[in-house]
């Protein structure tokens, strides 16, 4: 009985972490899109990614959401000319 509760808690933690990582990735996507387009287009880009049917993978306990967030923020850091930080984030994305 205790083993089932532990597995349930671990699964719940995994889902919460993935949702948080996906939200962080969406914030980074908004930052990038708002630099290149007007705020309405940036919001539309975020909603398009968030509501795309394949994004259900970001709700599962897979590293996809973490890779998405790290990749988006690596691009954001490159645009800010912070290449060392972008390299560290890219390494983190690759190692997940």
């Amino acid at each position: 009985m205790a083993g089932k509760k532990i597995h349930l808690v671990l699964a719940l933690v995994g889902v919460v972490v993935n949702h948080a990582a996906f939200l962080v990735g969406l914030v980074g996507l908004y930052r990038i899109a708002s630099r290149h387009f007007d705020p309405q287009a940036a919001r539309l880009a975020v909603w398009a990614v968030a509501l795309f049917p394949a994004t259900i993978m970001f709700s599962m306990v897979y590293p996809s959401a973490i890779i998405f967030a790290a990749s988006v923020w690596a691009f954001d850091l490159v645009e800010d000319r912070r290449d060392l930080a972008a390299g560290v984030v890219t390494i983190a994305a690759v190692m997940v």
Side-chain angles (χ1 to χ4, degrees):
M1 184 78 170
K4 289 183 181 180
K5 287 183 182 179
I6 290 173
H7 287 292
L8 182 63
V9 169
L10 288 176
L12 182 64
V13 167
V15 170
V16 169
V17 166
N18 277 351
H19 278 91
F22 186 56
L23 181 63
V24 168
L26 290 176
V27 169
L29 177 65
Y30 180 80
R31 279 180 47 107
I32 292 171
S34 64
R35 281 189 196 135
H36 299 279
F37 304 103
D38 61 286
Q40 183 179 2
R43 283 191 301 273
L44 182 62
V46 169
W47 279 107
V49 170
L51 297 177
F52 185 69
T55 58
I56 194 159
M57 291 298 293
F58 296 133
S59 298
M60 299 177 187
V61 187
Y62 293 116
S64 303
I66 298 169
I67 293 169
F68 170 71
S71 300
V72 166
W73 280 99
F75 277 104
D76 183 67
L77 291 168
V78 164
E79 285 190 348
D80 284 345
R81 305 260 190 237
R82 296 172 57 194
D83 296 333
L84 182 61
V88 170
V89 172
T90 303
I91 290 170
V94 170
M95 294 186 72
V96 169

